[in-house]
Amino acid sequence: MTAPAVRPSALLLLLLLLGPLAACATGPSLEDRGRVTAPPGDSRHLTVGSAGFTESDLLAQMYALLLDQAGYTTSLITVANRELYEPSLESGRIDVVPEYAATFADWLNARTHGADAPPAGSPDLAATMKALRALAAPRGLAVLGPGRAVDQNAFAVSRAYARAHGLKTLGDLGASGLKVRLAAGDECVRRPYCAPGLKKTYGIDVTGVDPKGVGTVPAKQAVASGRDQLVLTTTTDATLDAFGLVLLADDKHLQNADYVVPVVNRARAGGRAVTEVLGRLNAVLTTADLAALNQRVDGWRRLSSDVARAYLKEKGLLK
């Protein structure tokens, strides 16, 4: 996931974080982490972190509202860079962040074993969670259970194209034998989840990659106009209807298991109470819900705090 620049309202807090982090930009050494062996804790004041893009902001707002209702005192901070917020999470300057299972597993794996290490994330959720927790534990982090919502790479076609060729899944597209031009980032030509994976897993005849970016307006317009036939986006993209596009189901599970997972500092927020509070949201929040919430912020220009509060009340999670 690519996050935009840090919002001005968060700059002061970010500057406060940067001073203490300067000496540990790569995180404290494993040998110095006394908190790793400490029992799960339950601080009454918790700092909830956000990565600064709409979806992360919404999740952080919902976490904070639920924790406030449960008797905690919370503060929110936006740090739009994993290289900054993950060490803050380890040190306890941030206590809770929303993350994505496979992406975070791969990030921690590269940080632990080097950039050339084989990926830790996979399409198998159980295997991904096992790998993620093994990587997180030595850093003093606890990964709570995944919810129902997943934000992973996805591919869309125009509604007219899907209707004309009877397409509902990527498997259908591969079986059709249709030649497609794919609107995506330029890295798509070599990434295993993108053009190579479409060819290997589904037999889709990708004739070329139109380098318009992942889920960008120009990429979607190219498919809506018929210049391209397929676009790389995400499962929580809230703008597809506006462009007349529909997702094709990943029926052979090419994409990794990027389920939403809360990650906490174990010594400060790893107790049963926090787990239970955030678990209530995990039990009801779906991928479709997350896409709709994104749309209310990005499309309808509503405040993420208002959208988060309204959703929790609608689901009976907030009084």
Side-chain angles (χ1 to χ4, degrees):
M1 307 271 313
T2 301
V6 180
R7 293 180 297 182
S9 61
L11 286 178
L12 180 58
L13 283 172
L14 178 54
L15 289 172
L16 292 174
L17 277 175
L18 285 175
L21 284 176
C24 59
T26 58
S29 67
L30 294 180
E31 292 78 11
D32 293 338
R33 291 186 188 116
R35 68 187 180 283
V36 172
T37 56
D42 189 13
S43 172
R44 301 314 295 174
H45 182 276
L46 298 173
T47 300
V48 181
S50 160
F53 56 95
T54 297
E55 188 168 291
S56 184
D57 286 346
L58 281 163
L59 289 164
Q61 292 280 355
M62 288 190 282
Y63 290 0
L65 286 166
L66 290 172
L67 289 166
D68 285 340
Q69 179 175 253
Y72 295 88
T73 300
T74 64
S75 56
L76 284 160
I77 183 170
T78 299
V79 184
N81 186 311
R82 237 184 223 107
E83 284 75 12
L84 289 177
Y85 74 66
E86 192 278 335
S88 288
L89 187 61
E90 290 187 34
S91 70
R93 296 182 183 94
I94 295 176
D95 301 303
V96 185
V97 294
E99 263 293 356
Y100 301 89
T103 295
F104 196 45
D106 284 343
W107 192 87
L108 287 179
N109 192 49
R111 190 164 173 233
T112 303
H113 300 296
D116 295 330
S122 76
D124 186 319
L125 177 58
T128 295
M129 289 297 297
K130 182 178 180 180
L132 174 56
R133 283 171 167 152
L135 289 161
R139 298 180 178 278
L141 306 180
V143 182
L144 307 188
R148 301 164 61 191
V150 56
D151 186 353
Q152 60 191 170
N153 295 302
F155 296 90
V157 298
S158 73
R159 189 173 288 107
Y161 187 83
R163 185 166 52 246
H165 299 289
L167 306 177
K168 293 184 178 180
T169 69
L170 290 170
D172 292 339
L173 181 56
S176 73
L178 293 165
K179 297 180 183 298
V180 298
R181 181 173 162 89
L182 172 60
D186 54 9
E187 72 279 1
C188 180
V189 297
R190 61 183 180 275
R191 292 286 175 86
Y193 68 80
C194 204
L198 291 175
K199 294 176 182 179
K200 181 179 179 180
T201 303
Y202 287 104
I204 295 173
D205 190 354
V206 179
T207 61
V209 173
D210 188 3
K212 293 188 179 299
V214 179
T216 63
V217 169
K220 293 170 192 171
Q221 288 174 335
V223 173
S225 68
R227 174 180 172 180
D228 299 332
Q229 291 73 48
L230 192 64
V231 61
L232 173 62
T233 182
T234 66
T235 51
T236 60
D237 188 330
T239 68
L240 295 178
D241 278 347
F243 291 92
L245 306 180
V246 292
L247 292 179
L248 296 181
D250 182 18
D251 50 318
K252 294 184 180 179
H253 307 293
L254 171 63
Q255 303 303 324
N256 282 345
D258 258 331
Y259 283 75
V260 174
V261 290
V263 180
V264 304
N265 178 286
R266 184 173 183 267
R268 291 181 51 80
R272 180 178 297 178
V274 171
T275 300
E276 290 178 352
V277 169
L278 299 184
R280 294 172 197 143
L281 177 61
N282 274 352
V284 300
L285 183 67
T286 66
T287 303
D289 288 345
L290 204 46
L293 296 177
N294 288 336
Q295 184 178 36
R296 291 171 195 174
V297 176
D298 292 335
W300 302 357
R301 296 304 185 193
R302 294 184 178 175
L303 294 175
S304 59
S305 56
D306 292 342
V307 171
R309 184 180 297 276
Y311 177 78
L312 295 177
K313 287 185 175 181
E314 174 191 331
K315 296 298 181 179
L317 298 177
L318 196 66
K319 296 177 182 177

